mmCIF file of all heavy atoms in Angstrom:
data_model
loop_
_atom_site.group_PDB
_atom_site.id
_atom_site.type_symbol
_atom_site.label_atom_id
_atom_site.label_comp_id
_atom_site.label_asym_id
_atom_site.label_seq_id
_atom_site.Cartn_x
_atom_site.Cartn_y
_atom_site.Cartn_z
ATOM 1 N N TYR A 1263 -5.585 8.684 10.012
ATOM 2 C CA TYR A 1263 -4.266 8.058 10.069
ATOM 3 C C TYR A 1263 -3.624 8.193 8.702
ATOM 4 O O TYR A 1263 -4.236 7.828 7.682
ATOM 5 C CB TYR A 1263 -4.406 6.585 10.471
ATOM 6 C CG TYR A 1263 -3.105 5.806 10.467
ATOM 7 C CD1 TYR A 1263 -2.053 6.153 11.315
ATOM 8 C CD2 TYR A 1263 -2.925 4.725 9.620
ATOM 9 C CE1 TYR A 1263 -0.870 5.443 11.320
ATOM 10 C CE2 TYR A 1263 -1.750 4.008 9.610
ATOM 11 C CZ TYR A 1263 -0.720 4.365 10.459
ATOM 12 O OH TYR A 1263 0.461 3.658 10.458
ATOM 13 N N PHE A 1264 -2.383 8.753 8.672
ATOM 14 C CA PHE A 1264 -1.750 9.094 7.397
ATOM 15 C C PHE A 1264 -0.326 8.555 7.373
ATOM 16 O O PHE A 1264 0.619 9.201 7.812
ATOM 17 C CB PHE A 1264 -1.760 10.620 7.210
ATOM 18 C CG PHE A 1264 -3.134 11.206 7.363
ATOM 19 C CD1 PHE A 1264 -3.583 11.663 8.588
ATOM 20 C CD2 PHE A 1264 -3.989 11.273 6.269
ATOM 21 C CE1 PHE A 1264 -4.868 12.186 8.743
ATOM 22 C CE2 PHE A 1264 -5.275 11.790 6.402
ATOM 23 C CZ PHE A 1264 -5.717 12.245 7.638
ATOM 24 N N PRO A 1265 -0.157 7.364 6.833
ATOM 25 C CA PRO A 1265 1.182 6.767 6.753
ATOM 26 C C PRO A 1265 1.861 7.066 5.427
ATOM 27 O O PRO A 1265 1.212 7.378 4.423
ATOM 28 C CB PRO A 1265 0.870 5.265 6.872
ATOM 29 C CG PRO A 1265 -0.474 5.110 6.236
ATOM 30 C CD PRO A 1265 -1.215 6.412 6.480
ATOM 31 N N TRP A 1266 3.174 6.965 5.444
ATOM 32 C CA TRP A 1266 3.981 7.073 4.225
ATOM 33 C C TRP A 1266 4.802 5.791 4.083
ATOM 34 O O TRP A 1266 5.406 5.323 5.049
ATOM 35 C CB TRP A 1266 4.924 8.274 4.299
ATOM 36 C CG TRP A 1266 4.232 9.584 4.155
ATOM 37 C CD1 TRP A 1266 3.620 10.306 5.141
ATOM 38 C CD2 TRP A 1266 4.068 10.340 2.956
ATOM 39 N NE1 TRP A 1266 3.082 11.469 4.621
ATOM 40 C CE2 TRP A 1266 3.351 11.516 3.285
ATOM 41 C CE3 TRP A 1266 4.469 10.152 1.625
ATOM 42 C CZ2 TRP A 1266 3.016 12.481 2.338
ATOM 43 C CZ3 TRP A 1266 4.141 11.121 0.685
ATOM 44 C CH2 TRP A 1266 3.423 12.264 1.043
ATOM 45 N N TYR A 1267 4.805 5.253 2.858
ATOM 46 C CA TYR A 1267 5.522 4.020 2.592
ATOM 47 C C TYR A 1267 6.576 4.250 1.517
ATOM 48 O O TYR A 1267 6.392 5.046 0.599
ATOM 49 C CB TYR A 1267 4.546 2.927 2.118
ATOM 50 C CG TYR A 1267 3.645 2.402 3.218
ATOM 51 C CD1 TYR A 1267 2.473 3.075 3.577
ATOM 52 C CD2 TYR A 1267 3.971 1.234 3.912
ATOM 53 C CE1 TYR A 1267 1.657 2.600 4.587
ATOM 54 C CE2 TYR A 1267 3.144 0.745 4.924
ATOM 55 C CZ TYR A 1267 2.003 1.441 5.260
ATOM 56 O OH TYR A 1267 1.193 0.964 6.267
ATOM 57 N N LEU A 1277 6.648 0.927 5.693
ATOM 58 C CA LEU A 1277 6.324 2.168 6.406
ATOM 59 C C LEU A 1277 7.598 2.901 6.810
ATOM 60 O O LEU A 1277 8.531 2.310 7.353
ATOM 61 C CB LEU A 1277 5.509 1.849 7.657
ATOM 62 C CG LEU A 1277 5.080 3.046 8.490
ATOM 63 C CD1 LEU A 1277 3.922 3.767 7.804
ATOM 64 C CD2 LEU A 1277 4.685 2.637 9.920
ATOM 65 N N ILE A 1278 7.627 4.218 6.532
ATOM 66 C CA ILE A 1278 8.782 5.012 6.959
ATOM 67 C C ILE A 1278 8.395 6.035 8.030
ATOM 68 O O ILE A 1278 9.222 6.381 8.886
ATOM 69 C CB ILE A 1278 9.467 5.725 5.777
ATOM 70 C CG1 ILE A 1278 8.466 6.593 4.996
ATOM 71 C CG2 ILE A 1278 10.157 4.719 4.868
ATOM 72 C CD1 ILE A 1278 9.131 7.479 3.948
ATOM 73 N N ILE A 1279 7.185 6.505 8.012
ATOM 74 C CA ILE A 1279 6.719 7.445 9.017
ATOM 75 C C ILE A 1279 5.202 7.544 8.901
ATOM 76 O O ILE A 1279 4.639 7.283 7.830
ATOM 77 C CB ILE A 1279 7.377 8.832 8.840
ATOM 78 C CG1 ILE A 1279 7.156 9.715 10.082
ATOM 79 C CG2 ILE A 1279 6.886 9.534 7.586
ATOM 80 C CD1 ILE A 1279 8.016 10.976 10.108
ATOM 81 N N ASP A 1280 4.548 7.871 10.001
ATOM 82 C CA ASP A 1280 3.101 8.042 9.966
ATOM 83 C C ASP A 1280 2.699 9.164 10.922
ATOM 84 O O ASP A 1280 3.481 9.585 11.772
ATOM 85 C CB ASP A 1280 2.359 6.748 10.300
ATOM 86 C CG ASP A 1280 2.759 6.168 11.665
ATOM 87 O OD1 ASP A 1280 3.428 6.875 12.459
ATOM 88 O OD2 ASP A 1280 2.431 4.994 11.926
ATOM 89 N N ILE A 1281 1.492 9.655 10.746
ATOM 90 C CA ILE A 1281 0.993 10.726 11.597
ATOM 91 C C ILE A 1281 -0.499 10.544 11.791
ATOM 92 O O ILE A 1281 -1.198 10.103 10.877
ATOM 93 C CB ILE A 1281 1.321 12.111 10.983
ATOM 94 C CG1 ILE A 1281 1.034 13.229 11.981
ATOM 95 C CG2 ILE A 1281 0.578 12.333 9.676
ATOM 96 C CD1 ILE A 1281 1.583 14.577 11.552
ATOM 97 N N PHE A 1304 -1.429 16.698 3.427
ATOM 98 C CA PHE A 1304 -0.309 16.250 4.231
ATOM 99 C C PHE A 1304 0.904 16.075 3.319
ATOM 100 O O PHE A 1304 0.743 15.844 2.114
ATOM 101 C CB PHE A 1304 -0.618 14.990 5.040
ATOM 102 C CG PHE A 1304 -1.062 13.783 4.257
ATOM 103 C CD1 PHE A 1304 -0.287 12.632 4.250
ATOM 104 C CD2 PHE A 1304 -2.280 13.757 3.573
ATOM 105 C CE1 PHE A 1304 -0.693 11.508 3.575
ATOM 106 C CE2 PHE A 1304 -2.695 12.624 2.882
ATOM 107 C CZ PHE A 1304 -1.892 11.496 2.885
ATOM 108 N N PHE A 1320 4.835 6.344 -1.336
ATOM 109 C CA PHE A 1320 3.379 6.389 -1.377
ATOM 110 C C PHE A 1320 2.852 7.055 -0.113
ATOM 111 O O PHE A 1320 3.265 6.709 0.996
ATOM 112 C CB PHE A 1320 2.785 4.985 -1.442
ATOM 113 C CG PHE A 1320 3.039 4.255 -2.726
ATOM 114 C CD1 PHE A 1320 4.088 3.353 -2.831
ATOM 115 C CD2 PHE A 1320 2.221 4.459 -3.821
ATOM 116 C CE1 PHE A 1320 4.329 2.674 -4.012
ATOM 117 C CE2 PHE A 1320 2.447 3.778 -5.013
ATOM 118 C CZ PHE A 1320 3.504 2.881 -5.109
ATOM 119 N N CYS A 1321 1.910 7.967 -0.282
ATOM 120 C CA CYS A 1321 1.159 8.455 0.849
ATOM 121 C C CYS A 1321 -0.132 7.653 0.931
ATOM 122 O O CYS A 1321 -0.535 7.016 -0.051
ATOM 123 C CB CYS A 1321 0.848 9.951 0.719
ATOM 124 S SG CYS A 1321 -0.195 10.380 -0.698
ATOM 125 N N ALA A 1322 -0.766 7.666 2.087
ATOM 126 C CA ALA A 1322 -1.987 6.897 2.255
ATOM 127 C C ALA A 1322 -2.830 7.525 3.354
ATOM 128 O O ALA A 1322 -2.342 8.334 4.153
ATOM 129 C CB ALA A 1322 -1.657 5.443 2.598
ATOM 130 N N ALA A 1323 -4.098 7.136 3.366
ATOM 131 C CA ALA A 1323 -5.009 7.634 4.388
ATOM 132 C C ALA A 1323 -5.977 6.537 4.775
ATOM 133 O O ALA A 1323 -6.401 5.736 3.941
ATOM 134 C CB ALA A 1323 -5.773 8.859 3.875
ATOM 135 N N SER A 1324 -6.321 6.509 6.064
ATOM 136 C CA SER A 1324 -7.328 5.561 6.532
ATOM 137 C C SER A 1324 -8.021 6.164 7.739
ATOM 138 O O SER A 1324 -7.569 7.153 8.309
ATOM 139 C CB SER A 1324 -6.701 4.216 6.887
ATOM 140 O OG SER A 1324 -5.861 4.349 8.017
ATOM 141 N N THR A 1331 -6.972 1.102 3.885
ATOM 142 C CA THR A 1331 -6.004 2.158 3.637
ATOM 143 C C THR A 1331 -6.000 2.459 2.147
ATOM 144 O O THR A 1331 -5.807 1.550 1.333
ATOM 145 C CB THR A 1331 -4.603 1.718 4.093
ATOM 146 O OG1 THR A 1331 -4.652 1.387 5.492
ATOM 147 C CG2 THR A 1331 -3.589 2.828 3.884
ATOM 148 N N ILE A 1332 -6.222 3.728 1.818
ATOM 149 C CA ILE A 1332 -6.236 4.165 0.430
ATOM 150 C C ILE A 1332 -4.908 4.859 0.127
ATOM 151 O O ILE A 1332 -4.494 5.754 0.875
ATOM 152 C CB ILE A 1332 -7.405 5.123 0.164
ATOM 153 C CG1 ILE A 1332 -8.736 4.451 0.519
ATOM 154 C CG2 ILE A 1332 -7.409 5.585 -1.301
ATOM 155 C CD1 ILE A 1332 -9.021 3.193 -0.259
ATOM 156 N N PHE A 1333 -4.284 4.465 -0.978
ATOM 157 C CA PHE A 1333 -2.974 4.972 -1.332
ATOM 158 C C PHE A 1333 -3.040 5.988 -2.466
ATOM 159 O O PHE A 1333 -3.924 5.936 -3.324
ATOM 160 C CB PHE A 1333 -2.065 3.821 -1.775
ATOM 161 C CG PHE A 1333 -1.565 2.965 -0.648
ATOM 162 C CD1 PHE A 1333 -2.369 1.984 -0.087
ATOM 163 C CD2 PHE A 1333 -0.292 3.147 -0.135
ATOM 164 C CE1 PHE A 1333 -1.923 1.198 0.960
ATOM 165 C CE2 PHE A 1333 0.173 2.364 0.920
ATOM 166 C CZ PHE A 1333 -0.644 1.389 1.460
ATOM 167 N N GLY B 890 -3.842 0.360 11.398
ATOM 168 C CA GLY B 890 -2.458 0.631 11.751
ATOM 169 C C GLY B 890 -1.522 0.315 10.614
ATOM 170 O O GLY B 890 -1.914 0.225 9.461
ATOM 171 N N GLU B 891 -0.263 0.143 10.961
ATOM 172 C CA GLU B 891 0.769 -0.109 9.970
ATOM 173 C C GLU B 891 0.474 -1.391 9.194
ATOM 174 O O GLU B 891 0.079 -2.411 9.764
ATOM 175 C CB GLU B 891 2.130 -0.229 10.661
ATOM 176 C CG GLU B 891 3.282 -0.543 9.718
ATOM 177 C CD GLU B 891 4.613 -0.641 10.437
ATOM 178 O OE1 GLU B 891 4.650 -0.467 11.671
ATOM 179 O OE2 GLU B 891 5.629 -0.897 9.763
ATOM 180 N N LEU B 892 0.680 -1.299 7.884
ATOM 181 C CA LEU B 892 0.544 -2.462 7.023
ATOM 182 C C LEU B 892 1.926 -3.039 6.772
ATOM 183 O O LEU B 892 2.881 -2.314 6.482
ATOM 184 C CB LEU B 892 -0.091 -2.074 5.682
ATOM 185 C CG LEU B 892 -1.525 -1.552 5.733
ATOM 186 C CD1 LEU B 892 -1.972 -1.113 4.349
ATOM 187 C CD2 LEU B 892 -2.461 -2.613 6.278
#
Side-chain angles (χ1 to χ4, degrees):
Chain A
Y1263 176 62
F1264 307 92
W1266 287 85
Y1267 288 83
L1277 181 76
I1278 55 171
I1279 194 168
D1280 57 12
I1281 190 169
F1304 57 116
F1320 292 97
C1321 63
S1324 67
T1331 302
I1332 303 300
F1333 285 80
Chain B
E891 178 180 0
L892 296 176

